Amino acid sequence: MKKLILIGRSGVGKTTLTQALRGEKTHYHKTQYINYDDFLIDTPGEYAENVELSSALCLYSYEADVVALLIPADAGYSPFPPNITCMVNREVIGIVTKIDKADPSRATEWLKLSGCETVFCVDSKTGKGVNQILEHLKNNKKQEK
């Protein structure tokens, strides 16, 4: 299975999605540091929000096969600039979280504008959309770098 790194602002649902992808019961805790194991890399939101910490995301993205940019369906803005995915030499997917809170179409468009060709919409609490991400990670062969 490909290794996935989750990148997004605080509160987007990275840790909840990590637990859903692993089949774990949801328990809330603040991610204080980069959690690196099995096929997932969970990152603190502050790393995406703070320019001094963002270089760590660049470094850890090289440990992953797939980079995931996350935006919640109820977001008021996109933290990712247009066409940012060209800066990464890995597959970059988009994930819209919290689809139970709002229509995911606006966040989906933002992720496509950022350069994500594939966008998944998930509700980590119910598991909706989680299997599609797992299948994507299992079925696609690792790209040669």
Side-chain angles (χ1 to χ4, degrees):
M1 181 175 308
K2 290 183 181 180
K3 186 172 283 276
L4 177 68
I5 185 170
L6 303 174
I7 298 174
R9 67 173 178 78
S10 297
V12 74
K14 296 179 300 298
T15 300
T16 305
L17 178 58
T18 296
Q19 293 167 1
L21 288 166
R22 289 186 181 138
E24 298 173 355
K25 184 178 177 183
T26 302
H27 56 280
Y28 296 97
H29 65 87
K30 171 70 182 109
T31 303
Q32 298 292 327
Y33 52 88
I34 293 177
N35 294 315
Y36 183 103
D37 60 41
D38 53 28
F39 67 97
L40 290 166
I41 303 172
D42 185 12
T43 63
E46 291 81 6
Y47 283 49
E49 300 165 348
N50 185 315
V51 78
E52 287 83 19
L53 298 172
S54 63
S55 60
L57 294 176
C58 296
L59 292 173
Y60 272 92
S61 72
Y62 288 104
E63 297 292 324
D65 302 303
V66 180
V67 175
L69 304 180
L70 283 76
I71 299 177
D74 61 351
Y77 66 94
S78 171
F80 306 113
N83 203 28
I84 193 164
T85 61
C86 69
M87 305 296 286
V88 181
N89 66 351
R90 303 283 187 267
E91 177 187 10
V92 183
I93 62 172
I95 300 177
V96 178
T97 59
K98 302 182 181 186
I99 60 171
D100 60 317
K101 305 264 187 220
D103 181 350
S105 60
R106 182 170 59 171
T108 298
E109 282 304 309
W110 285 335
L111 287 165
K112 287 181 180 178
L113 286 171
S114 294
C116 300
E117 292 181 17
T118 304
V119 178
F120 298 94
C121 296
V122 300
D123 179 348
S124 299
K125 291 179 183 176
T126 66
K128 183 176 182 179
V130 171
N131 284 336
Q132 287 82 1
I133 297 171
L134 289 171
E135 286 303 314
H136 183 80
L137 296 173
K138 288 177 188 173
N139 290 337
N140 291 317
K141 294 181 182 177
K142 290 186 179 184
Q143 297 173 348
E144 295 297 320
K145 304 296 179 236

